[in-house]
Amino acid sequence: MNIKKHIPNSITLLNLFCGCIATVFVARLDFEMAFYFVCLGIFLDFFDGFFARLFKVSSPLGLQLDSLADMVTSGLVPGYVMFSLMESASNPNHYFSFLGFIVTMGSCYRLANFNIDTRQTDSFIGLPTPANALFILSLPLVLKYSDSLFILEILTNQWILLVIALFSAYILNAEIPLFSLKIKKFSLKENALQIGFLLLSFLLLLFFQYIAIPLIIIVYVLLSVVNNKFLKK
């Protein structure tokens, strides 16, 4: 038996396992632990593809398995978090809260489309589901650790949360090319955008902690738009 060919799929299943654990923590309203397990799942999601390429064992099964695991870790979990936020909002309409799963539906459509879109081998079109998941999962942590009344009012308003859920589903599937963070050549000039973004992200995390996460995702999208319009030749 060729053990190597099973390593990437095993890592993918561990990603799925992290998503299942994160779902349980969301049900317990422990958003911090849910965030950590989603981060671990995303970390594993990166390495399943890495090892598949390293061992030259990429397969259609691995591609489908990867999307199914991501559907839980980066699809179901953020949708459940948005539902929970809407449930705990000021004067909530409990039936209205189910619209938080618009995030999950948008993620599902993105993952299915990604598998058949040959344009997304070296860069992304629309926000990747892991980045979107981090954005959504950071919201309850920002709410927990921020002293700002403005943020409190925003993240406890069901209508604003619905707008965030709708925008999330849109940006996942928007025809907006986003630059890849993969560094293929060791050239400072060719990787200036990626390096600059990573340094800025590090500084934002250092100074703003959890509140930096949604800011980083927003900056990533804005930098991609500027790059597409002004910097690309």
Side-chain angles (χ1 to χ4, degrees):
M1 184 175 70
N2 186 358
I3 295 176
K4 284 185 178 180
K5 74 176 183 180
H6 296 291
I7 290 176
N9 288 346
S10 298
I11 295 173
T12 302
L13 290 173
L14 286 174
N15 169 21
L16 174 60
F17 185 52
C18 287
C20 293
I21 295 172
T23 304
V24 174
F25 278 117
V26 175
R28 296 175 179 174
L29 301 181
D30 189 342
F31 298 114
E32 202 155 358
M33 288 302 297
F35 176 82
Y36 292 143
F37 272 99
V38 166
C39 286
L40 179 57
I42 291 170
F43 176 79
L44 292 167
D45 182 45
F46 173 82
F47 277 102
D48 61 3
F50 172 81
F51 281 110
R53 291 186 294 271
L54 179 66
F55 297 144
K56 298 179 181 179
V57 291
S58 299
S59 67
L61 172 62
L63 179 66
Q64 299 304 320
L65 197 60
D66 185 71
S67 290
L68 290 170
D70 282 348
M71 184 57 216
V72 177
T73 306
S74 299
L76 174 62
V77 177
Y80 196 179
V81 167
M82 183 57 73
F83 164 79
S84 299
L85 282 172
M86 294 177 76
E87 274 281 277
S88 59
S90 303
N91 303 313
N93 180 318
H94 297 293
Y95 292 106
F96 188 83
S97 300
F98 285 108
L99 293 176
F101 286 106
I102 287 172
V103 175
T104 300
M105 293 186 289
S107 300
C108 181
Y109 191 89
R110 156 123 192 138
L111 288 166
N113 191 41
F114 182 82
N115 283 351
I116 60 173
D117 191 341
T118 57
R119 300 172 297 168
Q120 302 193 56
T121 53
D122 296 319
S123 60
F124 301 110
I125 297 175
L127 188 67
T129 51
N132 184 67
L134 291 177
F135 177 83
I136 299 296
L137 268 87
S138 70
L139 298 181
L141 302 182
V142 170
L143 184 61
K144 179 180 178 181
Y145 290 105
S146 174
D147 296 324
S148 170
L149 290 175
F150 177 70
I151 290 176
L152 177 66
E153 289 178 7
I154 287 177
L155 296 181
T156 56
N157 185 305
Q158 270 198 332
W159 289 104
I160 293 177
L161 291 170
L162 176 60
V163 169
I164 293 172
L166 289 168
F167 180 75
S168 167
Y170 164 75
I171 201 68
L172 282 165
N173 297 285
E175 288 286 317
I176 302 174
L178 302 177
F179 67 88
S180 173
L181 294 176
K182 295 178 181 177
I183 296 175
K184 295 186 174 181
K185 296 180 181 178
F186 293 100
S187 167
L188 183 62
K189 184 179 179 181
E190 290 186 19
N191 298 298
L193 182 63
Q194 288 86 345
I195 294 169
F197 171 71
L198 290 173
L199 287 173
L200 177 60
S201 299
F202 174 76
L203 290 173
L204 286 171
L205 285 168
L206 186 64
F207 288 105
F208 297 106
Q209 297 179 331
Y210 287 120
I211 200 171
I213 297 167
L215 291 177
I216 289 168
I217 304 302
I218 292 167
V219 167
Y220 174 54
V221 174
L222 291 177
L223 276 178
S224 295
V225 172
V226 171
N227 181 54
N228 296 333
K229 192 168 182 64
F230 300 109
L231 303 180
K232 270 191 175 180
K233 293 182 181 180

